[in-house]
Amino acid sequence: MSLEERLEKIRASKLQNQRETAIVLSAVEDTLRDEKHSQSPTAYFAALLALLGQAIVPSHGTINKDLASSVVYLLDLVVPHVPAALLRSKFPQILTSLAPAFTNQDAEAPLLRSSIGCLESLLVAQDAAAWAQPQNLISPRRAMAGLLTLASDQRPKVRKRAQEAITQVLKNPPPSPSLDHPAADMCAETALKTASDVLAVSSVKQRGGRDAAQKQHRPGLLHALQLVKTIASASGGWPSKKIEPLCEFLMVVSRSNNEYLAMGAFDVFEIMFTGMADQFSSSKLPRLMDAISELKPSQNDSQLLPPWLAVISRGYDVSAQISPKETFHKLPLLFGTVSESLSSASHNIRISASECLVSFLVNCIPDSVVAEPSIFDEKILGKLAQTAEDLLSVRYQAAWMEVFHIQAALLEVLKWRAYPLARNIVNTIGELRASDSFNGKKEADAVLGKAIQSMGPQAVLEILPLNLARSKTGQPGRAWLLPLLRDNVINTNLAHFRSEFVPLSEVMYQRVIDHGESEKTVEIKIFETIVHQTWALFPGYCNLPLDLVTAFDQGFAELLSNLLYSQPDLRSNICRGLQTLVESNQEILAVEAGEQEIRFRNRMTKADVQTNLDYLAQFAGNLLAVLFNVYSQTLPQHRGYILQCINGYLSITPEKVRSILDIISCPAKDH
């Protein structure tokens, strides 16, 4: 909104509280017309400045409240439109005139808010030379000190307006090679001293058992923390030279029993990290992280260590965004340091340590390191895997449930690189999972599930063989792995299903056939279950397989067709698998992500996916003929999955063939 539009609103206003302001504005404009001055911002400024001397008399400290409120309100509107050079030249006069409004105990909030607005515009206009003047002179630093005092005022609107003004001033520094505004150090020091003094008083009262007095000081501390937040958000995190004392103060506050104070402290850290995430202020981050690291509490401090871990976790998250490689190189040392906390007797410390380690893994290992690691990168990944493996020792047994979360995160991040790096982890957890006395089966299953997703079922079964077809003494069967495989197999080699599970299914099915028509024993029912569980894996192996063109050949297609005819119990899984072959590839084509990201996530490109679909289209005609025949043989209430599979293959069928099949399929769809 332009200045003229703002003034017009005052002229046209019928509000009681703007009547005096409208009268003053009318008088100013009459004077300008009488003296034949244009109604420019500069002319308004000069006229209002003259009136200000009548409304506020600095030598006597007297204030004409009604006139002063209107004049300063209008000045607040006009000053932002006045040339900066004029504001610099008039700074001493204006500050002297406004001073009584700040110091007078009876000054009302509206006058203070308008005065703060004037000061904001004046201070933004000042140059580096003006900011270099000491605070004991009539200088910008002296005005800033007044704003800092008002930023802790008991009146919410005054306090908020002062904090907004400080923010605008610090965000608009004069041209300078420095990272920070010339007044940033002064603001930081004042805010920190105010907060520390309030905290000290509160702590003394607490030790004296005066709960009421302590509660009385909590609002003051919250206000002081808000001022600290204001300066942190406005000065790129915090002035570089004042980082260490602030961190020390915040760590003390974070251990408070008052959740609002603790949250306030963490909010400041979050603001600091966010402020340092941009390229301009990022050079401050190493100093901040060093300061936080040096404040590491005692290993058994259950009150202070959890918040410290949360802060260090967030800090390295930001560090990884700014300097991904450098942060990754620090990871083994960080990982080792924090993992020591998992041996603590405190459950809260163990939980916090595990969350911190998971954050390190998720945020501090760049995708590029997993996709194309250098020799040095591989060594670092190896160290991380070794540390994670060591956490399964007896020393950390009390924390094994938390350790499993860490190892699941490691496997998920490493993706296919997890093999052979995490081989021993999978082996140890598999042995624990097989023990009848082990109570953490659900958590162990979560880790093994991530292992199946990341390193693939072939690698996991190499480490933990099923031992079902030919069990040997000392080699326990692991049928419990089949449901895990069903839920987690994805984006792997379809050939492994053909070589591992098709033969297993045949062996188990043959045992059922050999039993004949006799009453089924428990053992025979187990064999039947294994056959069904085996084919329940098929849809997962069909979910974006890496080797579709080589693994899905004519022989395999004929096997599937025969099973669709001969074994109705397997139709659902086979149809879902065939449908997934098509749809999982189509989904990748529809994704809008970049080619590099698609390749990293799925180990194939859109071109590979299109090749897969073109290849499957060659089998579509024969598969559809089989599916239509099976559809006609199936009871209506069980046909849904077959029709979905048919639709999938119709979508990749050549146009001429599709036209014929559409006609054939119409009666089927009607059912």
Side-chain angles (χ1 to χ4, degrees), residues 426-447:
V426 173
N427 185 53
T428 302
I429 293 179
E431 291 177 356
L432 287 171
R433 170 64 175 78
S435 171
D436 293 335
S437 61
F438 183 64
N439 294 323
K441 286 184 170 57
K442 180 181 177 182
E443 291 76 10
D445 284 351
V447 181

Side-chain angles (χ1 to χ4, degrees), residues 297-354:
S298 164
Q299 195 70 23
N300 296 312
D301 190 337
S302 59
Q303 198 172 16
L304 195 52
L305 190 56
W308 181 85
L309 288 166
V311 169
I312 207 84
S313 166
R314 176 65 178 122
Y316 279 104
D317 177 8
V318 174
S319 177
Q321 297 171 35
I322 298 168
S323 308
K325 275 285 189 179
E326 291 81 351
T327 305
F328 173 66
H329 293 161
K330 296 176 184 177
L331 208 48
L333 180 60
L334 287 168
F335 208 79
T337 301
V338 174
S339 64
E340 291 295 316
S341 299
L342 290 168
S343 63
S344 172
S346 166
H347 183 249
N348 284 343
I349 290 178
R350 297 198 302 268
I351 290 289
S352 298
S354 68

Side-chain angles (χ1 to χ4, degrees), residues 180 188 191 228 231-232 235-240 242-243 246 272 276 284:
D180 300 317
V228 170
I231 294 166
S235 56
W238 194 255
S240 303
K242 306 295 180 183
I243 285 175
L246 175 63
M272 291 171 71
M276 295 178 187
K284 299 179 186 179

Side-chain angles (χ1 to χ4, degrees), residues 180 228-240 243 246 268-278 281 284 288:
D180 300 317
V228 170
K229 285 187 209 176
T230 298
I231 294 166
S233 64
S235 56
W238 194 255
S240 303
I243 285 175
L246 175 63
V268 177
F269 274 120
E270 178 63 30
I271 289 168
M272 291 171 71
F273 291 136
T274 303
M276 295 178 187
D278 67 70
S281 300
K284 299 179 186 179
L288 173 59

Side-chain angles (χ1 to χ4, degrees), residues 154-467:
Q154 296 301 312
R155 290 163 289 187
K157 290 184 178 179
V158 173
R159 186 170 64 245
K160 181 183 178 183
R161 186 65 188 90
Q163 291 172 0
E164 290 171 349
I166 291 169
T167 299
Q168 287 304 309
V169 173
L170 293 180
K171 282 187 173 181
N172 293 278
S176 164
S178 173
L179 282 175
D180 300 317
H181 191 285
D185 283 355
M186 165 195 164
C187 292
E189 189 173 335
T190 302
L192 191 53
K193 184 178 185 309
T194 301
S196 298
D197 289 346
V198 177
L199 179 64
V201 172
S202 180
S203 299
V204 169
K205 299 296 185 185
Q206 185 177 14
R207 286 196 297 271
R210 301 181 192 175
D211 291 339
Q214 184 198 2
K215 288 177 182 176
Q216 183 181 352
H217 286 279
R218 282 177 185 166
L221 189 52
L222 287 170
H223 297 163
L225 273 175
Q226 183 59 46
L227 178 56
V228 170
K229 285 187 209 176
T230 298
I231 294 166
S233 64
S235 56
W238 194 255
S240 303
K241 298 175 184 177
K242 306 295 180 183
I243 285 175
E244 290 83 358
L246 175 63
C247 290
E248 189 171 352
F249 167 76
L250 292 175
M251 290 309 297
V252 172
V253 175
S254 67
R255 69 187 300 174
S256 169
N257 291 328
N258 185 316
E259 61 178 309
Y260 296 107
L261 292 178
M263 287 170 58
F266 287 125
D267 285 346
V268 177
F269 274 120
E270 178 63 30
I271 289 168
M272 291 171 71
F273 291 136
T274 303
M276 295 178 187
D278 67 70
Q279 190 173 2
F280 183 73
S281 300
S282 61
S283 59
K284 299 179 186 179
L285 188 60
R287 183 168 183 170
L288 173 59
M289 296 311 301
D290 289 343
I292 295 171
S293 298
E294 289 174 5
L295 292 170
K296 184 175 186 258
S298 164
Q299 195 70 23
N300 296 312
D301 190 337
S302 59
Q303 198 172 16
L304 195 52
L305 190 56
W308 181 85
L309 288 166
V311 169
I312 207 84
S313 166
R314 176 65 178 122
Y316 279 104
D317 177 8
V318 174
S319 177
Q321 297 171 35
I322 298 168
S323 308
K325 275 285 189 179
E326 291 81 351
T327 305
F328 173 66
H329 293 161
K330 296 176 184 177
L331 208 48
L333 180 60
L334 287 168
F335 208 79
T337 301
V338 174
S339 64
E340 291 295 316
S341 299
L342 290 168
S343 63
S344 172
S346 166
H347 183 249
N348 284 343
I349 290 178
R350 297 198 302 268
I351 290 289
S352 298
S354 68
E355 290 174 347
C356 181
L357 292 172
V358 168
S359 175
F360 285 163
L361 293 170
V362 172
N363 298 312
C364 301
I365 299 180
D367 290 348
S368 59
V369 166
V370 177
E372 297 178 3
S374 65
I375 295 175
F376 184 58
D377 292 339
E378 288 179 343
K379 288 181 179 179
I380 292 178
L381 292 175
K383 289 178 181 178
L384 293 174
Q386 183 61 55
T387 303
E389 180 185 336
D390 293 342
L391 296 178
L392 289 169
S393 66
V394 176
R395 178 186 176 189
Y396 300 102
Q397 188 168 357
W400 274 358
M401 297 304 106
E402 290 78 32
V403 168
F404 289 161
H405 290 302
I406 297 165
Q407 291 168 336
L410 177 66
L411 289 162
E412 185 173 10
V413 169
L414 291 181
K415 297 188 178 299
W416 64 92
R417 301 284 177 198
Y419 186 82
L421 288 173
R423 178 189 176 96
N424 292 341
I425 291 174
V426 173
N427 185 53
T428 302
I429 293 179
E431 291 177 356
L432 287 171
R433 170 64 175 78
S435 171
D436 293 335
S437 61
F438 183 64
N439 294 323
K441 286 184 170 57
K442 180 181 177 182
E443 291 76 10
D445 284 351
V447 181
L448 294 174
K450 291 297 181 185
I452 293 167
Q453 293 174 22
S454 301
M455 59 175 65
Q458 186 170 355
V460 171
L461 292 178
E462 181 184 319
I463 302 166
L464 302 171
L466 288 171
N467 297 328

